[in-house]
Amino acid sequence: MTLQWIDSHCHLDAPEFAHDRIEVLQRAQVQGLAACVMPAVQAKDFEPLIQLARVTGQPYALGIHPLYVPKAQESDLALLEKHLQEALSSHLEGTAKDPRLVALGEIGLDFWVPSLCEPAMRDKQEFFYHAQLKLAKRYELPVILHVRKSADALLKGLRQIKVQGGIAHAFNGSLQQAQFFIDMGFVLGFGGAMTYDRALQLRQLATNLPMTAIVLETDAPDIPPHWLYKTQSQRQSEGVSQGRNEPSELPRIASVLAHLRGESLSNVAASTVHNTLRVLPRLQSIFSVSPSLRSF
Ligand SMILES: [Zn+2]
């Protein structure tokens, strides 16, 4: 029997999938993926992403990603709120509730990219992060957080603006920081980065966290697992770009987690699906209606 999985973070609307999006989803379906949560990264992608969610039946999140904050404008926040209202309210004339909207994201802070660490850009990131936390609170949505060298600053924001929790995606902080997120109703997302032998701290975290705190993700097309990764010299000699990650890799990534923790693969599947549905409660309505991906 094929196990059921949820990819809690997958950028299916990315240009890397422009030519074979449906095939990518079909391959994921064959591997037992019941849903791929698609977070937005910038305002101009909101409409096409909502459309993609409609066509494929997949869940999505709306938000402005910290790497896109340099180009973002304050009016993008008004556009975000307009889409949240449309998706969440049934009483507005001509609009319907959209059960596929499951979170606000991808939002957060990135203090790893040097240009984003300039004082003015740090301020702009904080402004968009806090404004979006307020929207998540107002519309009672969980958030999907981008965390890169920013765990403490993100936690500070969460203490000021209390949201209902969500997912700290591609988490790579300390056990103590992980615990703070867990205490605030978050789970931690693990994916391809955990498949590398040298990722000692991350593997230790994946091994030692309670199973209730873990969800799985690919972050496709990014963060390829080690079996897809191409070194710079391979890329040059073979004339290819970095291996594209896709949601069908999720079960193999999960088998690394199962191995690290000494758990059965079916336990890992059941727990991570359960955890994802717990922190993204709106996903439950889609999931129960359609336990597998729609066929295309
Ligand atoms: Zn992402």
Side-chain angles (χ1 to χ4, degrees):
M1 197 193 85
T2 316
L3 297 170
Q4 274 204 340
W5 304 98
I6 297 176
D7 185 348
S8 66
H9 198 110
C10 172
H11 296 281
L12 264 182
D13 63 328
E16 285 87 340
F17 295 117
H19 302 295
D20 61 350
R21 227 164 247 134
I22 298 303
E23 289 87 339
V24 167
L25 265 175
Q26 282 169 337
R27 279 198 288 277
Q29 181 182 28
V30 169
Q31 293 300 320
L33 270 84
C36 301
V37 180
M38 309 185 293
V41 295
Q42 59 178 339
K44 77 176 168 79
D45 296 342
F46 291 169
E47 294 269 7
L49 179 64
I50 293 166
Q51 199 49 39
L52 181 65
R54 230 165 250 159
V55 171
T56 60
Q58 296 306 307
Y60 68 97
L62 294 178
I64 299 156
H65 189 294
L67 294 183
Y68 291 79
V69 159
K71 281 193 290 181
Q73 299 171 342
E74 256 188 86
S75 58
D76 294 346
L77 292 167
L79 186 69
L80 173 59
E81 182 159 17
K82 180 187 121 211
H83 282 297
L84 297 181
Q85 281 170 348
E86 281 176 10
L88 297 172
S89 57
S90 56
H91 57 273
L92 288 174
E93 194 82 44
T95 60
K97 268 190 187 175
D98 186 352
R100 296 175 210 87
L101 176 73
V102 296
L104 202 130
E106 171 173 359
I107 68 169
L109 298 167
D110 192 308
F111 296 144
W112 182 76
V113 175
S115 62
L116 293 176
C117 298
E118 308 279 337
M121 204 43 78
R122 279 181 91 101
D123 288 351
K124 193 174 179 190
Q125 285 199 67
E126 295 269 7
F127 172 78
F128 276 87
Y129 174 51
H130 286 171
Q132 293 185 96
L133 282 183
K134 283 179 195 153
L135 286 175
K137 189 177 171 182
R138 186 175 312 148
Y139 291 94
E140 298 177 339
L141 284 170
V143 297
I144 297 175
L145 290 178
H146 171 96
V147 193
R148 206 154 51 156
K149 299 254 177 271
S150 59
D152 291 335
L154 288 170
L155 286 162
K156 195 172 160 203
L158 293 173
R159 286 189 195 101
Q160 287 162 353
I161 303 156
K162 298 250 178 329
V163 297
Q164 59 177 260
I167 299 172
H169 122 83
F171 188 76
N172 197 1
S174 69
L175 186 59
Q176 194 194 29
Q177 287 165 334
Q179 193 56 53
F180 286 137
F181 279 107
I182 294 166
D183 293 344
M184 290 181 164
F186 281 78
V187 292
L188 297 318
F190 288 88
M194 165 182 71
T195 64
Y196 295 83
D197 288 337
R198 63 172 190 274
L200 294 177
Q201 199 200 334
L202 186 61
R203 287 181 152 221
Q204 215 167 33
L205 201 60
T207 309
N208 295 327
L209 281 173
M211 197 62 221
T212 50
I214 295 178
V215 297
L216 288 166
E217 59 172 55
T218 59
D219 201 20
D222 300 325
I223 320 192
H226 78 77
W227 52 88
L228 294 181
Y229 184 79
K230 296 205 182 297
T231 62
Q232 201 179 4
S233 64
Q234 277 174 321
R235 276 177 264 160
Q236 275 162 358
S237 65
E238 297 168 25
V240 293
S241 50
Q242 184 51 270
R244 183 186 74 170
N245 195 6
E246 62 171 78
S248 62
E249 299 293 341
L250 195 89
R252 193 168 166 196
I253 292 170
S255 71
V256 174
L257 181 66
H259 179 76
L260 286 171
R261 297 181 64 96
E263 299 228 19
S264 69
L265 197 57
S266 60
N267 252 355
V268 168
S271 310
T272 53
V273 165
H274 182 84
N275 298 341
T276 311
L277 294 175
R278 189 184 77 235
V279 294
L280 305 179
R282 288 175 60 85
L283 190 53
Q284 292 167 18
S285 69
I286 323 178
F287 203 80
S288 54
V289 173
S290 147
S292 63
L293 285 176
R294 274 177 20 182
S295 7
F296 304 99

